[in-house]
Amino acid sequence: MQNFISAILPVFNEEKSLKELHERLVETLQKTGLPFEIIFVNDGSSDRTPQVLEELTPAKIIHLKRNFGQTVALGVGVRQAQGNILITIDADLENDPNDIPLLLEKLNEGYDVVSGWRKKRWAGAVFSRRLPSIMANKFLSFAGGVKIHDFGCTLKAYRREMFDNISFSGDMHRLLLAYMARQGAKIAEIPVNFTPRRFGKSKYGAKRIFDVLVDILAFYFFEKYHNRVLHFFSAAGVFCFILSFLIFLIMLYYKFFLGMMFVQTPLPILTVSFVIVGFQLILMGLIAELVYRSSKHKDSSNLTYVKKEIINN
């Protein structure tokens, strides 16, 4: 079966870059000789992005009802894509469409995912941007078990089946490779071009560091305990019971060896509090286990996100 390429571009307030990006993308994809589609997912833009998108041909334009974030926009694009090879790329012209054939060439070597590496991205900002970026990517690589230098690069090529068991939620797009690696995906990375943003401003700030840490914590928790939630809460509950018992022993020591009344210390309150918290954690675990076993797989294919879809041929 001949390969079919779906290029997916989440877009938020990028009106000035879209026409040039579309022209370069169409030109590059035509050179591959493969059938293709270009999917723009407008993530609730507040500028002229919707109007500019609807002037582009060929393209499939999906307008979301509001700004849901890059993860949802990417998920909607993936679920609407028809191709067996999916290309994701930023809409701000920082990624070079001319690198797409290199990704496809590497994909044809037997890999499931090929990720771009913006090797010279922060060459002029070693301490302010490059060093923090290197540290963050090493941390992500260690936590996710994937030897990748640039998790933040949107320019990637995927085989369609890599998304079969992926649930898009929160801001998990940063850890897509980690989730896929846990499912056995064969992942490669190649250097790609990077062009500093010419229009608008970056959507990322200092808050991104906190978001990444939360994403890693969520990844670790769900990967380790997603099918045994009760184990996690039960362990936490037992830990609280142990603390309560130890505090109770200290309370008895103060009473019978030091002659202190129970009411002279906060230990009785702590003992009772840890017992109550322990029971609550175990009950939470039971409820979480019940919800997990009765729930069905949910992700951003839910069309409640979509406001309008337009296909320009």
Side-chain angles (χ1 to χ4, degrees):
M1 184 182 74
Q2 186 182 28
N3 288 327
F4 185 96
I5 299 173
S6 293
I8 302 167
L9 298 88
V11 183
F12 179 67
N13 290 348
E14 300 289 356
E15 59 177 334
K16 295 182 180 179
S17 64
L18 292 174
K19 288 185 178 179
E20 178 183 344
L21 174 61
H22 180 262
E23 291 174 2
R24 292 169 57 186
L25 194 55
V26 170
E27 181 181 359
T28 299
L29 292 174
Q30 285 176 339
K31 288 180 181 179
T32 66
L34 298 173
F36 66 88
E37 64 176 354
I38 301 175
I39 303 173
F40 290 97
V41 183
N42 171 34
D43 188 23
S45 297
S46 56
D47 60 0
R48 292 193 66 257
T49 291
Q51 292 83 356
V52 175
L53 285 176
E54 292 179 14
E55 296 172 359
L56 303 179
T57 303
K60 178 188 292 186
I61 299 95
I62 301 172
H63 296 293
L64 303 189
K65 294 178 179 179
R66 61 174 177 82
N67 179 234
F68 289 99
Q70 188 172 349
T71 295
V72 168
L74 179 63
V76 170
V78 167
R79 300 313 182 201
Q80 297 295 312
Q82 302 297 313
N84 63 328
I85 293 179
L86 308 185
I87 304 290
T88 58
I89 182 171
D90 273 333
D92 55 12
L93 291 174
E94 290 189 358
N95 295 146
D96 186 355
N98 289 322
D99 287 322
I100 290 177
L102 300 178
L103 297 178
L104 297 176
E105 183 179 342
K106 194 68 176 178
L107 200 69
N108 288 334
E109 293 180 13
Y111 291 97
D112 300 306
V113 184
V114 180
S115 179
W117 174 15
R118 297 164 296 181
K119 200 171 183 178
K120 300 180 180 180
R121 186 184 186 194
W122 303 122
V126 177
F127 294 103
S128 62
R129 302 300 294 269
R130 187 177 183 183
L131 186 58
S133 177
I134 290 174
M135 293 175 63
N137 280 294
K138 284 189 176 297
F139 186 36
L140 286 168
S141 180
F142 171 77
V146 188
K147 294 183 179 180
I148 295 293
H149 296 87
D150 189 359
F151 278 82
C153 183
T154 303
L155 184 58
K156 293 179 174 66
Y158 305 86
R159 297 194 185 278
R160 176 57 183 263
E161 57 268 24
M162 291 298 100
F163 290 98
D164 288 347
N165 297 312
I166 296 294
S167 178
F168 291 90
S169 60
D171 287 323
M172 55 77 67
H173 65 274
R174 300 186 189 95
L175 286 166
L176 262 179
L177 297 186
Y179 283 101
M180 291 178 176
R182 289 297 178 94
Q183 297 179 14
K186 189 177 180 182
I187 300 172
E189 183 180 45
I190 62 171
V192 295
N193 295 311
F194 170 74
T195 304
R197 173 185 283 272
R198 288 156 45 195
F199 308 109
K201 60 181 181 179
S202 175
K203 310 300 188 301
Y204 300 107
K207 180 177 176 293
R208 187 183 185 188
I209 298 175
F210 174 77
D211 292 340
V212 169
L213 291 175
V214 172
D215 290 337
I216 293 174
L217 178 63
F219 170 79
Y220 178 80
F221 175 81
F222 286 114
E223 284 301 300
K224 188 169 184 179
Y225 295 105
H226 74 280
N227 60 347
R228 49 194 184 102
V229 184
L230 182 58
H231 291 207
F232 174 82
F233 285 101
S234 295
V238 170
F239 177 72
C240 287
F241 289 150
I242 293 174
L243 281 179
S244 176
F245 180 70
L246 292 175
I247 294 172
F248 178 71
L249 292 179
I250 295 173
M251 186 176 68
L252 293 179
Y253 173 80
Y254 283 176
K255 168 67 175 177
F256 295 106
F257 290 92
L258 300 182
M260 295 180 63
M261 300 294 291
F262 290 154
V263 295
Q264 290 181 278
T265 70
L267 297 181
I269 296 176
L270 288 175
T271 300
V272 174
S273 297
F274 277 116
V275 169
I276 293 173
V277 171
F279 276 117
Q280 288 179 330
L281 286 170
I282 292 176
L283 288 174
M284 286 174 62
L286 289 170
I287 294 172
E289 189 79 12
L290 179 63
V291 171
Y292 173 77
R293 294 188 181 189
S294 61
S295 64
K296 294 181 179 180
H297 184 71
K298 296 179 180 180
D299 56 36
S300 57
S301 62
N302 191 331
L303 294 180
T304 57
Y305 291 120
V306 179
K307 178 180 179 181
K308 181 170 62 173
E309 181 177 328
I310 300 171
I311 300 177
N312 293 335
N313 296 316

